[in-house]
């Protein structure tokens, strides 16, 4: 059975950790799904890891739609969530409904994620949920605000951590089905995870979140640079470079193809 947003809270209750990874095309999505990932997030980090932009700010709704369609075609079981890109939802709840609605209608994905909390974003989440669009929140380090926040850890002062707690509570009250907590102290993430009934999905937020997400390009060792909290389980840059060099030397040395067809 396919994973649905409601199931995630039951998993939290049961203490079953949620596994999420980002996807950007058909092949990667298929691999993640077959490997048993619960959530494939079409994160706007694909702006950097797939399209070569400096930040996530420039990526457009059209580009996200294009990648979301490819990912959706590759996934049979996991829940597919897509990031709404910068300036496709911040202007008004109406703009957010339009962008998120297009995402669901045109790509077949089940849910959207947007960055930021209380009070404006919580109101936007409430309106999206009212029209039947499942929403995942995202607080702490919100990369679409890189020009304000940089990529620094958030929530380090009592005031900043209180604000993040209020944002998370407001998003839950607005109807979000889960919240990404990015690059905040572990103790703060643990406190938020305890307070909420919806699951928290951590990235650089310590072990006490209800699930973990990483950027798949980092996990595979494909990224040019990666954040300090990421972990690579393989170095595909090296492996792919070697394979490409092997092909090149076999072609130049006339060892490939081996036989005439
Ligand atoms: O865009 C993304 O990949 C994300 C994750 C880092 C949570 O939002």
């Amino acid at each position: 059975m396919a994973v649905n947003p409601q199931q995630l809270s039951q998993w939290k209750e049961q203490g079953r950790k949620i596994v999420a990874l980002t996807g950007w095309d058909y092949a990667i999505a298929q691999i993640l799904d077959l490997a048993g990932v619960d959530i494939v997030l079409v994160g706007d980090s694909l702006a950097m890891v797939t399209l070569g932009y400096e930040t996530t700010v420039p990526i457009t709704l059209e580009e996200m739609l294009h990648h979301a369609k490819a990912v959706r075609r590759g996934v049979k079981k996991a829940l597919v969530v897509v990031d709404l890109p910068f300036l496709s939802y911040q202007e008004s709840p109406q703009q957010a409904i339009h962008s998120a609605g297009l995402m669901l209608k045109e790509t077949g994905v089940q849910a959207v994620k947007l960055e930021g909390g209380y009070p404006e974003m919580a109101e936007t989440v409430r309106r999206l949920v009212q029209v039947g669009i499942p929403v995942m929140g995202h607080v702490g380090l919100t990369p679409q605000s890189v020009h304000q926040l940089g990529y620094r850890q958030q929530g380090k002062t009592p005031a900043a951590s209180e604000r993040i707690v209020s944002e998370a509570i407001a998003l839950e009250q607005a109807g979000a089905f889960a919240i990404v907590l990015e690059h905040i102290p572990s103790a703060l993430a643990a406190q938020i995870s305890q307070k909420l009934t919806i699951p928290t999905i951590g990235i650089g937020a310590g072990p006490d979140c209800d699930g973990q997400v990483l950027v798949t390009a980092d996990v595979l060792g494909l990224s040019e640079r990666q954040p300090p909290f990421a972990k690579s389980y393989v170095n595909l840059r090296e492996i792919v470079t070697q394979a490409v060099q092997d092909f090149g030397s076999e072609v130049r040395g006339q060892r490939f193809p081996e036989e005439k067809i």
Side-chain angles (χ1 to χ4, degrees):
M1 218 179 60
V3 177
N4 64 61
Q6 297 73 33
Q7 204 166 356
L8 303 183
S9 290
Q10 289 165 16
W11 286 346
K12 172 173 175 135
E13 254 177 66
Q14 295 159 3
R16 178 200 182 287
K17 294 276 185 185
I18 298 161
V19 178
L21 281 171
T22 64
W24 56 84
D25 69 10
Y26 175 75
I28 287 287
Q30 227 183 10
I31 293 169
L32 299 181
D33 195 44
L34 288 170
V37 162
D38 301 314
I39 300 173
V40 177
L41 171 66
V42 188
D44 60 358
S45 57
L46 75 84
M48 297 160 82
V49 300
T50 311
L51 300 179
Y53 291 121
E54 268 299 306
T55 70
T56 60
V57 172
I59 196 164
T60 63
L61 188 63
E62 287 66 34
E63 286 168 314
M64 289 302 292
L65 283 164
H66 175 75
H67 285 272
K69 285 179 193 168
V71 168
R72 186 69 199 90
R73 287 192 284 266
V75 171
K76 291 200 163 55
K77 185 157 187 288
L79 175 67
V80 182
V81 182
V82 182
D83 265 340
L84 290 183
F86 182 61
L87 270 201
S88 72
Y89 63 94
Q90 288 93 341
E91 279 178 25
S92 63
Q94 287 77 5
Q95 189 204 23
I97 290 173
H98 183 77
S99 302
L102 264 186
M103 202 51 96
L104 265 61
K105 277 167 81 87
E106 290 197 5
T107 71
V109 304
Q110 297 99 320
V112 297
K113 174 164 84 59
L114 45 78
E115 295 184 6
Y118 144 92
E120 294 80 9
M121 215 40 74
E123 174 56 16
T124 294
V125 170
R126 196 179 62 76
R127 297 286 299 283
L128 286 167
V129 172
Q130 251 175 6
V131 299
I133 299 174
V135 183
M136 179 181 271
H138 183 155
V139 299
L141 173 58
T142 46
Q144 291 177 11
S145 309
V146 60
H147 299 307
Q148 254 172 357
L149 306 178
Y151 291 115
R152 281 182 297 279
Q153 191 186 48
Q154 300 297 304
K156 290 209 288 198
T157 63
S161 68
E162 249 173 61
R163 179 167 177 90
I164 295 172
V165 173
S166 327
E167 287 179 340
I169 291 172
L171 289 171
E172 171 167 274
Q173 286 172 349
F177 68 87
I179 301 185
V180 168
L181 302 178
E182 181 163 352
H183 208 8
I184 60 173
S186 306
L188 174 58
Q191 186 195 341
I192 295 172
S193 303
Q194 257 192 345
K195 272 192 200 293
L196 301 187
T197 59
I198 58 170
T200 57
I201 313 291
I203 174 161
D208 295 316
C209 297
D210 304 302
Q212 297 290 330
V213 60
L214 282 177
V215 172
T216 300
D218 297 340
V219 170
L220 300 181
L222 277 173
S223 310
E224 271 179 300
R225 50 202 141 99
Q226 60 186 47
F229 47 77
K231 181 171 176 186
S232 297
Y233 289 78
V234 62
N235 189 336
L236 275 194
R237 266 197 178 242
E238 263 176 35
I239 292 172
V240 172
T241 303
Q242 190 58 58
V244 171
Q245 286 172 344
D246 290 349
F247 173 66
S249 58
E250 287 198 2
V251 170
R252 291 185 189 115
Q254 299 181 31
R255 295 189 302 284
F256 179 87
E258 284 168 18
E259 286 170 24
K260 292 199 172 107
I261 301 169

